[in-house]
Structure formats: structure tokens, C-alpha cells
């Protein structure tokens, strides 16, 4: 999910199309981070493996992961029953057509990343390292379309292999090779070269985190260990706390994902899924500012519906919820309206589901 500073809201037309669809109508790691062979040729690999239960802890500055709050956040995440945390060091490029990306004062330092990965392991959490590339301001990273693709992919390979080496050195249990880069992700040959380069430095399972309206167009899933989807499908055309209605909205989506997983012999991990605690979040899960009206009950209903709808689905590898608490003094959305489930009914939904 792109930040409120770099909003990744999909176009309303795309949302309407998905709503119309919902109205009508894969190797995945086990919990120890290992890949599992398919049970039979038509089954997604890893069917029956433990599901990933995770929560994202993004960073917005070089020192966030060095914050005194970091250890507390990790312990609070583990207390929900989560077994994983997703960490998101972010580089930036100045314009969509640029040929390279760079660190800024908003990029988590390598030292802070080393520290928080060690702290996560000490708290009993496995780590999905999920590096991001973003644009400044409110621009969507899906708009990145380099004027010189060869130069951009060379720069991107340097960026992602840097984190592949860190992930290997620090024992991160899973690595994402990219997130929501729809402007480049149809270039299968160049992305396959990226994956090959990453595998030379990192021996664990690999995923790419595709936006929900992007995943079907990715040509390199078979080079990865699982299919990653940032699952921000709109579930309703008006605000609702009706869990049954929200679960029904997931059914056609689940059918599509089940077939997709079977065709690629890989399960699907929701590399992100989340809902702000605002009225209308089920109509636009990607939006940080869908309303100024708090709606803890709608957020909790959406959590309950997703977990209930996916229970028993053999193609589903689990979820990394977006996101835990923001860092002190960095939040642009008040906590009572933000994505965090912390201290809200949605946190209790997680505890009931994950700790039973």
C-alpha cells in the first residue's frame, strides 16, 4: 500500500469494474519458510502448509526501526498470534520516467534494518523483507514507466540484490522482489533476469507483491515460489458491517484466485490486505482517507470476513495485514482512523482467529 504521502488508490472506474464482477458472479512457504511440493499436478504447491499470519511494520524514516517503540511494536504484533512481520525499506525515484532510484531521509538505514530483524527474531517473529520503490508526493508507484527500461532494470537489480544480501545475512525467512510496479511488471524477460540475480544472493522463498488489479498480467510467476497479491478489492458499493455480505463478496474473487493458483501450481499469499477504521473502508480498501467518520466496526467486519472467507481454501497461503501502529510523530492519519487494528475491535478479531 502506497502511503497517504504517496497514495496508491486505484481509479474509480477500476473499482467499479471489480464491484460489477463481485456482484455477478502458488510454491508457498510453510511456516518455517520452506517451499512445499505440489500434492498433485493440478494442486497449488504448498497446499496444506501452515498459513502465514503476518502484519506489516512499515518505516517512514531512516531511523524508524531504531525507535524505542520498535521492540514494543514487535511484541504487540506477536501478541495477536502473528508469526510474521513484514518490513518495508523504501527507495525513491524523482519521476516516473527516471532510470534509477535512490535512498532519502525516509529510507530505513541498513543498520536499523539489521537491528529490527534481530529484534523480530527475538520476539518469535519470522520476517518478510519487502523493499519498496516509490515516487514523491501522492504519485502511485504503478505510474513508474522508465524512459530507458534497460537502465532502470539495471538500477533496480542493484537495489533489490542489496536487500537480497541483507536478507540472506540476517536470516530473513522470505523476500519480495518487488511491489505494485505495474508499469514495468509485464516485462517478463527483464523481471526473470532480476529474479535470477536475486537467487544468486538469497536462498529463501521469493514472492512479488502485485496489486489486486495487476496480478493476472504478471508473466513471471513461475520463476517465483508463490504468488503475491495486495488484496485491496472493494467489497461493497456502500458502507457495511454485514460480515455475511462481505464474505459473499469474496466468493467470486476466491474462485478466480483458486483457478489462477492451480494453473501456476503456486498458492497465493496476500502480501498486503487492510482496512482503515473509517466509514466506507469496505468500498475502497486502498484509501487512507475514505471518510472522516470513525468506523471501528466496519474495519472489524472486514477483517472477520476476509479471514472467514479464506478459511479452508487450500490455495491461500495467508496474509500480511497492512499495517501496525505508525511511528511516534510520523502519522498523517490519526490512529483512530488509520489502518492499524491496534487497540480496536479488529485486533480482537485477529486474536480470536490466530490464537485459537
Amino acid at each position: 500500500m502506497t502511503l497517504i504521502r504517496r497514495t496508491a488508490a486505484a481509479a474509480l472506474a477500476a473499482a467499479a469494474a471489480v464491484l460489477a464482477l463481485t456482484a455477478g458472479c502458488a510454491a508457498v512457504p510453510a511456516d518455517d519458510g520452506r517451499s512445499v511440493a505440489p500434492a498433485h499436478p493440478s494442486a497449488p504447491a504448498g497446499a496444506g502448509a501452515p498459513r502465514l499470519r503476518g502484519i506489516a511494520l512499515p518505516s517512514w524514516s531512516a531511523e524508524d526501526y531504531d525507535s524505542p517503540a520498535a521492540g514494543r511494536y514487535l511484541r504487540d504484533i506477536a501478541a495477536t498470534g502473528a508469526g510474521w512481520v513484514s518490513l518495508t525499506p523504501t527507495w525513491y525515484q524523482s519521476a516516473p520516467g527516471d532510470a534509477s532510484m535512490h535512498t532519502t531521509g525516509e529510507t530505513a538505514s541498513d543498520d536499523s534494518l539489521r537491528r529490527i530483524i534481530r529484534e523480530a527474531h527475538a520476539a518469535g517473529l519470522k520476517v518478510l523483507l519487502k523493499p519498496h520503490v516509490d515516487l514523491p508526493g501522492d504519485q502511485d508507484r504503478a505510474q513508474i514507466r522508465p524512459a530507458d527500461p534497460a537502465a532502470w532494470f539495471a538500477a533496480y537489480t542493484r537495489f533489490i540484490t542489496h536487500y537480497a544480501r541483507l536478507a540472506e545475512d540476517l536470516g530473513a525467512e522470505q523476500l519480495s522482489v518487488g511491489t505494485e510496479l505495474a508499469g514495468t511488471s509485464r516485462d517478463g524477460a527483464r523481471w526473470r533476469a532480476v529474479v535470477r540475480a536475486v537467487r544468486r544472493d538469497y536462498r529463501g522463498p521469493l514472492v512479488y507483491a502485485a496489486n489486486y488489479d495487476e496480478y493476472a498480467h504478471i508473466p513471471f510467476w513461475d520463476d517465483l515460489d508463490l504468488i503475491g497479491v495486495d488484496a485491496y478489492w472493494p467489497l461493497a458499493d456502500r458502507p457495511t458491517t454485514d460480515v455475511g455480505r462481505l464474505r459473499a463478496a469474496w466468493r467470486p474473487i476466491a474462485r478466480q484466485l483458486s483457478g489462477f493458483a492451480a494453473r501456476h501450481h503456486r498458492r497465493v499469499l496476500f502480501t498486503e490486505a487492510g482496512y482503515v477504521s473509517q466509514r466506507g473502508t469496505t468500498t475502497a480498501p486502498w484509501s487512507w482517507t475514505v471518510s472522516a467518520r470513525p468506523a471501528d466496526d466496519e474495519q472489524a467486519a472486514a477483517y472477520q470476513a476476509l479471514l472467514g472467507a479464506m478459511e479452508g481454501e487450500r490455495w491461500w497461503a495467508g496474509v500480511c495485514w497492512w499495517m501496525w501502529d505508525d511511528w511516534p510523530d510520523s502519522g498523517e492519519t490519526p490512529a483512530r482512523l488509520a489502518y492499524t487494528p491496534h487497540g480496536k475491535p479488529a485486533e480482537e478479531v485477529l486474536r480470536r482467529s490466530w490464537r485459537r
Side-chain angles (χ1 to χ4, degrees), residues 242-320:
D242 186 334
V243 174
R245 181 183 173 200
L246 295 170
R247 285 187 64 165
W250 275 110
R251 288 183 196 130
I253 299 168
R255 284 196 296 270
Q256 289 187 345
L257 291 173
S258 176
F260 194 82
R263 288 194 295 276
H264 289 278
H265 306 298
R266 279 147 180 77
R267 287 206 295 175
V268 176
L269 172 66
F270 286 176
T271 36
E272 291 180 24
Y275 305 90
V276 292
S277 45
Q278 299 170 26
R279 179 172 170 79
T281 189
T282 54
T283 72
W286 59 80
S287 176
W288 291 70
T289 54
V290 66
S291 170
R293 180 175 169 183
D296 287 357
D297 54 348
E298 189 170 353
Q299 181 192 47
Y303 269 63
Q304 187 177 345
L306 187 155
L307 293 170
M310 298 304 145
E311 188 172 5
E313 295 285 359
R314 296 174 70 244
W315 56 266
W316 190 59
V319 59
C320 263

Side-chain angles (χ1 to χ4, degrees), residues 104-159:
T104 73
E106 296 184 3
T107 303
S109 70
D110 288 353
D111 283 345
S112 73
L113 197 59
R114 291 185 182 98
R115 173 178 171 174
I116 200 162
I117 289 175
R118 294 188 187 105
E119 286 197 63
H121 287 156
L125 295 167
K126 297 181 175 68
V127 173
L128 166 58
L129 186 59
K130 188 167 169 284
H132 288 186
V133 172
D134 269 336
L135 292 165
D138 290 339
Q139 298 179 84
D140 182 352
R141 69 174 70 96
Q143 296 172 2
I144 293 174
R145 288 176 173 80
D148 185 343
W152 187 89
F153 273 96
Y156 190 86
T157 300
R158 291 191 293 273
F159 154 77

Side-chain angles (χ1 to χ4, degrees), residues 136-193:
D138 290 339
Q139 298 179 84
D140 182 352
R141 69 174 70 96
Q143 296 172 2
I144 293 174
R145 288 176 173 80
D148 185 343
W152 187 89
F153 273 96
Y156 190 86
T157 300
R158 291 191 293 273
F159 154 77
I160 196 62
T161 54
H162 171 77
Y163 288 107
R165 290 188 290 273
L166 274 175
E168 181 70 19
D169 289 347
L170 295 168
E173 286 80 4
Q174 195 173 124
L175 176 68
S176 172
V177 300
T179 296
E180 296 176 1
L181 292 167
T184 71
S185 61
R186 297 195 189 200
D187 192 336
R190 287 191 171 99
W191 271 103
R192 289 185 188 100

